[in-house]
Amino acid sequence: MNTLLSSLATGLGQGAVYALIAVSFVIIYRATGVLNFAQPALLILGTFVTSVAATQMGLPFAVSALLAMIVVGLLSVGIERVAIRPMIGRPPFSAALVTVGLFIALLVVAFRLFDSKPRTVGDPWQLASVCLGGETTESFGVTGCSGGVQIYENAIARFVISLVVIGLLGWWLTRSKIGLAMRATSLDQETALAQGVSVGRMFSISWAIGGSLAALAGALLGANGSVVQATDALFALVALPAIIIGGLDSLKGAVLGGLIVGIAMALTKTYQPQFAPWLGTNFDNVVPYLLMIVVLLVRPYGIYGTREVQRV
């Protein structure tokens, strides 16, 4: 039971980061109708900016992450204005192909700017953990938990930070004038224009938010002391099954899908080597896509996705 609870805690921490990435996809998709495949590159750029600020400039992790959000958010706005705005009125598939090209170009930029070497953002929580229902032990400088559930502080921090940011974003979208304008734009761009909403401005704001969230997810990705390199941008692609499971146009679905994926991967990583070793190593990376297929068979629009009805 303790192993199960510990795995669930780890999965919730990781799933919250997936939820953060999934929300960054959904924010842009709802506003522009474009599935932005450049998000993984924005995520890794956020990690690298955080790394430079934390390890080379000596800034605290929180300040470094905030700086990365600002830098990547501004970069995201520039990308939208230069590469995506001219695609308005074109088929969504064309704009999606442009974002694939942006993904490749931004990865090349990441390699060039940051010397294409592995980096770390530091280890703000190190291996500190909380022992629930047991006694804290220490051996050779490593803290353990005897007779209880050991939960690492980095998992708690990831979960709390991600959900607080998503919660504040949801509150802002429902309470502020800009948030209401963004929601109106996502529902019907022509009607929003008729009501005096600057659709272009809403596009820029949505890309700024999406880029900032991706940068924060990148900072949290490397916040457990692990080494991060540009190829880890593929980490963000796990968010695609999450948003499809939850619903491509639903913020609530993105959060739920991210948590489901995180928990499923953590439980698989814990129990699959014991009960199904014949599936091979790293099978937990396959689980999100299997879940996605199952959900699509039952609910083609996802758990909270908007059902589209076409009459012929």
mmCIF file of all heavy atoms in Angstrom, residues 1-30:
data_model
loop_
_atom_site.group_PDB
_atom_site.id
_atom_site.type_symbol
_atom_site.label_atom_id
_atom_site.label_comp_id
_atom_site.label_asym_id
_atom_site.label_seq_id
_atom_site.Cartn_x
_atom_site.Cartn_y
_atom_site.Cartn_z
ATOM 1 N N MET A 1 0.823 -1.207 0.000
ATOM 2 C CA MET A 1 0.000 0.000 0.000
ATOM 3 C C MET A 1 0.861 1.264 0.000
ATOM 4 O O MET A 1 0.557 2.243 -0.684
ATOM 5 C CB MET A 1 -0.932 -0.005 1.214
ATOM 6 C CG MET A 1 -1.826 1.239 1.308
ATOM 7 S SD MET A 1 -2.899 1.471 -0.125
ATOM 8 C CE MET A 1 -4.049 0.120 0.126
ATOM 9 N N ASN A 2 1.956 1.236 0.786
ATOM 10 C CA ASN A 2 2.837 2.404 0.837
ATOM 11 C C ASN A 2 3.475 2.676 -0.528
ATOM 12 O O ASN A 2 3.618 3.824 -0.936
ATOM 13 C CB ASN A 2 3.928 2.199 1.895
ATOM 14 C CG ASN A 2 3.362 2.239 3.301
ATOM 15 O OD1 ASN A 2 2.263 2.740 3.524
ATOM 16 N ND2 ASN A 2 4.109 1.709 4.254
ATOM 17 N N THR A 3 3.846 1.581 -1.206
ATOM 18 C CA THR A 3 4.423 1.739 -2.543
ATOM 19 C C THR A 3 3.407 2.343 -3.503
ATOM 20 O O THR A 3 3.729 3.211 -4.325
ATOM 21 C CB THR A 3 4.903 0.380 -3.077
ATOM 22 O OG1 THR A 3 5.865 -0.172 -2.184
ATOM 23 C CG2 THR A 3 5.522 0.527 -4.455
ATOM 24 N N LEU A 4 2.159 1.895 -3.395
ATOM 25 C CA LEU A 4 1.092 2.418 -4.254
ATOM 26 C C LEU A 4 0.889 3.909 -4.016
ATOM 27 O O LEU A 4 0.817 4.709 -4.962
ATOM 28 C CB LEU A 4 -0.201 1.654 -3.991
ATOM 29 C CG LEU A 4 -1.463 2.205 -4.681
ATOM 30 C CD1 LEU A 4 -1.312 2.142 -6.199
ATOM 31 C CD2 LEU A 4 -2.701 1.437 -4.230
ATOM 32 N N LEU A 5 0.803 4.300 -2.750
ATOM 33 C CA LEU A 5 0.573 5.711 -2.423
ATOM 34 C C LEU A 5 1.750 6.577 -2.865
ATOM 35 O O LEU A 5 1.569 7.697 -3.344
ATOM 36 C CB LEU A 5 0.323 5.866 -0.926
ATOM 37 C CG LEU A 5 -0.969 5.229 -0.395
ATOM 38 C CD1 LEU A 5 -1.056 5.372 1.125
ATOM 39 C CD2 LEU A 5 -2.190 5.856 -1.055
ATOM 40 N N SER A 6 2.955 6.057 -2.696
ATOM 41 C CA SER A 6 4.136 6.802 -3.129
ATOM 42 C C SER A 6 4.146 6.984 -4.643
ATOM 43 O O SER A 6 4.478 8.069 -5.153
ATOM 44 C CB SER A 6 5.404 6.072 -2.676
ATOM 45 O OG SER A 6 6.561 6.775 -3.063
ATOM 46 N N SER A 7 3.761 5.929 -5.374
ATOM 47 C CA SER A 7 3.692 6.028 -6.832
ATOM 48 C C SER A 7 2.617 7.013 -7.272
ATOM 49 O O SER A 7 2.812 7.778 -8.228
ATOM 50 C CB SER A 7 3.407 4.652 -7.445
ATOM 51 O OG SER A 7 4.465 3.762 -7.206
ATOM 52 N N LEU A 8 1.493 7.009 -6.570
ATOM 53 C CA LEU A 8 0.419 7.949 -6.896
ATOM 54 C C LEU A 8 0.875 9.388 -6.693
ATOM 55 O O LEU A 8 0.568 10.274 -7.506
ATOM 56 C CB LEU A 8 -0.817 7.663 -6.037
ATOM 57 C CG LEU A 8 -1.631 6.419 -6.394
ATOM 58 C CD1 LEU A 8 -2.734 6.194 -5.372
ATOM 59 C CD2 LEU A 8 -2.230 6.561 -7.794
ATOM 60 N N ALA A 9 1.611 9.635 -5.606
ATOM 61 C CA ALA A 9 2.110 10.980 -5.342
ATOM 62 C C ALA A 9 3.081 11.426 -6.432
ATOM 63 O O ALA A 9 3.017 12.562 -6.923
ATOM 64 C CB ALA A 9 2.785 11.031 -3.971
ATOM 65 N N THR A 10 3.975 10.522 -6.821
ATOM 66 C CA THR A 10 4.915 10.836 -7.899
ATOM 67 C C THR A 10 4.176 11.099 -9.206
ATOM 68 O O THR A 10 4.501 12.035 -9.952
ATOM 69 C CB THR A 10 5.911 9.680 -8.098
ATOM 70 O OG1 THR A 10 6.626 9.458 -6.878
ATOM 71 C CG2 THR A 10 6.899 9.988 -9.207
ATOM 72 N N GLY A 11 3.168 10.269 -9.474
ATOM 73 C CA GLY A 11 2.383 10.433 -10.698
ATOM 74 C C GLY A 11 1.616 11.741 -10.729
ATOM 75 O O GLY A 11 1.505 12.385 -11.782
ATOM 76 N N LEU A 12 1.094 12.160 -9.584
ATOM 77 C CA LEU A 12 0.375 13.434 -9.530
ATOM 78 C C LEU A 12 1.327 14.602 -9.794
ATOM 79 O O LEU A 12 0.962 15.568 -10.475
ATOM 80 C CB LEU A 12 -0.302 13.598 -8.167
ATOM 81 C CG LEU A 12 -1.551 12.761 -7.929
ATOM 82 C CD1 LEU A 12 -2.011 12.883 -6.477
ATOM 83 C CD2 LEU A 12 -2.676 13.201 -8.868
ATOM 84 N N GLY A 13 2.548 14.513 -9.247
ATOM 85 C CA GLY A 13 3.526 15.568 -9.491
ATOM 86 C C GLY A 13 3.898 15.661 -10.957
ATOM 87 O O GLY A 13 3.945 16.752 -11.536
ATOM 88 N N GLN A 14 4.171 14.500 -11.557
ATOM 89 C CA GLN A 14 4.526 14.489 -12.976
ATOM 90 C C GLN A 14 3.319 14.845 -13.835
ATOM 91 O O GLN A 14 3.441 15.572 -14.824
ATOM 92 C CB GLN A 14 5.049 13.099 -13.362
ATOM 93 C CG GLN A 14 5.720 13.037 -14.721
ATOM 94 C CD GLN A 14 7.138 13.568 -14.702
ATOM 95 O OE1 GLN A 14 7.513 14.303 -13.795
ATOM 96 N NE2 GLN A 14 7.920 13.214 -15.702
ATOM 97 N N GLY A 15 2.153 14.338 -13.448
ATOM 98 C CA GLY A 15 0.946 14.618 -14.213
ATOM 99 C C GLY A 15 0.574 16.085 -14.205
ATOM 100 O O GLY A 15 0.019 16.603 -15.184
ATOM 101 N N ALA A 16 0.873 16.787 -13.112
ATOM 102 C CA ALA A 16 0.587 18.221 -13.051
ATOM 103 C C ALA A 16 1.416 18.990 -14.080
ATOM 104 O O ALA A 16 0.943 19.969 -14.663
ATOM 105 C CB ALA A 16 0.871 18.745 -11.644
ATOM 106 N N VAL A 17 2.659 18.531 -14.311
ATOM 107 C CA VAL A 17 3.489 19.174 -15.337
ATOM 108 C C VAL A 17 2.920 18.876 -16.729
ATOM 109 O O VAL A 17 2.865 19.759 -17.590
ATOM 110 C CB VAL A 17 4.953 18.699 -15.246
ATOM 111 C CG1 VAL A 17 5.803 19.372 -16.319
ATOM 112 C CG2 VAL A 17 5.522 19.002 -13.870
ATOM 113 N N TYR A 18 2.475 17.630 -16.952
ATOM 114 C CA TYR A 18 1.814 17.313 -18.215
ATOM 115 C C TYR A 18 0.573 18.177 -18.405
ATOM 116 O O TYR A 18 0.276 18.637 -19.515
ATOM 117 C CB TYR A 18 1.410 15.835 -18.256
ATOM 118 C CG TYR A 18 2.557 14.863 -18.332
ATOM 119 C CD1 TYR A 18 2.571 13.704 -17.566
ATOM 120 C CD2 TYR A 18 3.632 15.085 -19.185
ATOM 121 C CE1 TYR A 18 3.619 12.805 -17.635
ATOM 122 C CE2 TYR A 18 4.688 14.187 -19.259
ATOM 123 C CZ TYR A 18 4.664 13.053 -18.485
ATOM 124 O OH TYR A 18 5.714 12.166 -18.554
ATOM 125 N N ALA A 19 -0.173 18.387 -17.316
ATOM 126 C CA ALA A 19 -1.373 19.226 -17.385
ATOM 127 C C ALA A 19 -1.011 20.651 -17.775
ATOM 128 O O ALA A 19 -1.718 21.299 -18.566
ATOM 129 C CB ALA A 19 -2.104 19.209 -16.044
ATOM 130 N N LEU A 20 0.098 21.146 -17.241
ATOM 131 C CA LEU A 20 0.549 22.497 -17.564
ATOM 132 C C LEU A 20 0.862 22.620 -19.059
ATOM 133 O O LEU A 20 0.468 23.595 -19.720
ATOM 134 C CB LEU A 20 1.785 22.819 -16.734
ATOM 135 C CG LEU A 20 2.180 24.291 -16.542
ATOM 136 C CD1 LEU A 20 1.092 25.067 -15.836
ATOM 137 C CD2 LEU A 20 3.478 24.372 -15.750
ATOM 138 N N ILE A 21 1.557 21.617 -19.592
ATOM 139 C CA ILE A 21 1.872 21.627 -21.020
ATOM 140 C C ILE A 21 0.590 21.505 -21.851
ATOM 141 O O ILE A 21 0.403 22.202 -22.855
ATOM 142 C CB ILE A 21 2.834 20.483 -21.375
ATOM 143 C CG1 ILE A 21 4.089 20.547 -20.523
ATOM 144 C CG2 ILE A 21 3.210 20.536 -22.850
ATOM 145 C CD1 ILE A 21 4.960 19.319 -20.632
ATOM 146 N N ALA A 22 -0.308 20.613 -21.420
ATOM 147 C CA ALA A 22 -1.556 20.414 -22.158
ATOM 148 C C ALA A 22 -2.376 21.698 -22.194
ATOM 149 O O ALA A 22 -2.956 22.048 -23.227
ATOM 150 C CB ALA A 22 -2.359 19.281 -21.514
ATOM 151 N N VAL A 23 -2.429 22.419 -21.083
ATOM 152 C CA VAL A 23 -3.164 23.689 -21.045
ATOM 153 C C VAL A 23 -2.536 24.698 -22.002
ATOM 154 O O VAL A 23 -3.239 25.460 -22.675
ATOM 155 C CB VAL A 23 -3.202 24.248 -19.605
ATOM 156 C CG1 VAL A 23 -3.705 25.697 -19.591
ATOM 157 C CG2 VAL A 23 -4.101 23.391 -18.728
ATOM 158 N N SER A 24 -1.202 24.692 -22.108
ATOM 159 C CA SER A 24 -0.537 25.619 -23.037
ATOM 160 C C SER A 24 -0.937 25.309 -24.482
ATOM 161 O O SER A 24 -1.099 26.225 -25.298
ATOM 162 C CB SER A 24 0.981 25.539 -22.863
ATOM 163 O OG SER A 24 1.535 24.369 -23.432
ATOM 164 N N PHE A 25 -1.102 24.031 -24.813
ATOM 165 C CA PHE A 25 -1.594 23.656 -26.143
ATOM 166 C C PHE A 25 -3.022 24.149 -26.348
ATOM 167 O O PHE A 25 -3.357 24.729 -27.385
ATOM 168 C CB PHE A 25 -1.567 22.131 -26.313
ATOM 169 C CG PHE A 25 -0.265 21.560 -26.788
ATOM 170 C CD1 PHE A 25 0.644 21.015 -25.898
ATOM 171 C CD2 PHE A 25 0.057 21.543 -28.134
ATOM 172 C CE1 PHE A 25 1.846 20.465 -26.318
ATOM 173 C CE2 PHE A 25 1.257 20.997 -28.575
ATOM 174 C CZ PHE A 25 2.152 20.457 -27.669
ATOM 175 N N VAL A 26 -3.874 23.890 -25.348
ATOM 176 C CA VAL A 26 -5.306 24.177 -25.480
ATOM 177 C C VAL A 26 -5.568 25.673 -25.583
ATOM 178 O O VAL A 26 -6.434 26.116 -26.357
ATOM 179 C CB VAL A 26 -6.080 23.567 -24.292
ATOM 180 C CG1 VAL A 26 -7.535 24.028 -24.289
ATOM 181 C CG2 VAL A 26 -6.023 22.045 -24.360
ATOM 182 N N ILE A 27 -4.838 26.495 -24.814
ATOM 183 C CA ILE A 27 -5.024 27.944 -24.853
ATOM 184 C C ILE A 27 -4.842 28.466 -26.276
ATOM 185 O O ILE A 27 -5.647 29.264 -26.785
ATOM 186 C CB ILE A 27 -4.034 28.643 -23.898
ATOM 187 C CG1 ILE A 27 -4.481 28.490 -22.443
ATOM 188 C CG2 ILE A 27 -3.878 30.114 -24.245
ATOM 189 C CD1 ILE A 27 -5.674 29.343 -22.065
ATOM 190 N N ILE A 28 -3.791 28.012 -26.940
ATOM 191 C CA ILE A 28 -3.521 28.463 -28.311
ATOM 192 C C ILE A 28 -4.533 27.870 -29.281
ATOM 193 O O ILE A 28 -5.038 28.557 -30.180
ATOM 194 C CB ILE A 28 -2.084 28.092 -28.721
ATOM 195 C CG1 ILE A 28 -1.080 28.888 -27.877
ATOM 196 C CG2 ILE A 28 -1.859 28.349 -30.204
ATOM 197 C CD1 ILE A 28 0.370 28.518 -28.118
ATOM 198 N N TYR A 29 -4.871 26.605 -29.090
ATOM 199 C CA TYR A 29 -5.813 25.954 -30.005
ATOM 200 C C TYR A 29 -7.189 26.604 -29.933
ATOM 201 O O TYR A 29 -7.829 26.848 -30.967
ATOM 202 C CB TYR A 29 -5.921 24.470 -29.675
ATOM 203 C CG TYR A 29 -6.917 23.741 -30.557
ATOM 204 C CD1 TYR A 29 -6.575 23.357 -31.848
ATOM 205 C CD2 TYR A 29 -8.203 23.472 -30.103
ATOM 206 C CE1 TYR A 29 -7.483 22.715 -32.671
ATOM 207 C CE2 TYR A 29 -9.127 22.826 -30.913
ATOM 208 C CZ TYR A 29 -8.762 22.448 -32.191
ATOM 209 O OH TYR A 29 -9.675 21.817 -33.007
ATOM 210 N N ARG A 30 -7.645 26.919 -28.738
ATOM 211 C CA ARG A 30 -8.974 27.513 -28.600
ATOM 212 C C ARG A 30 -9.043 28.897 -29.229
ATOM 213 O O ARG A 30 -10.066 29.289 -29.792
ATOM 214 C CB ARG A 30 -9.363 27.603 -27.121
ATOM 215 C CG ARG A 30 -9.706 26.263 -26.506
ATOM 216 C CD ARG A 30 -10.133 26.393 -25.075
ATOM 217 N NE ARG A 30 -11.269 27.299 -24.902
ATOM 218 C CZ ARG A 30 -11.925 27.453 -23.767
ATOM 219 N NH1 ARG A 30 -11.555 26.774 -22.695
ATOM 220 N NH2 ARG A 30 -12.933 28.272 -23.688
#
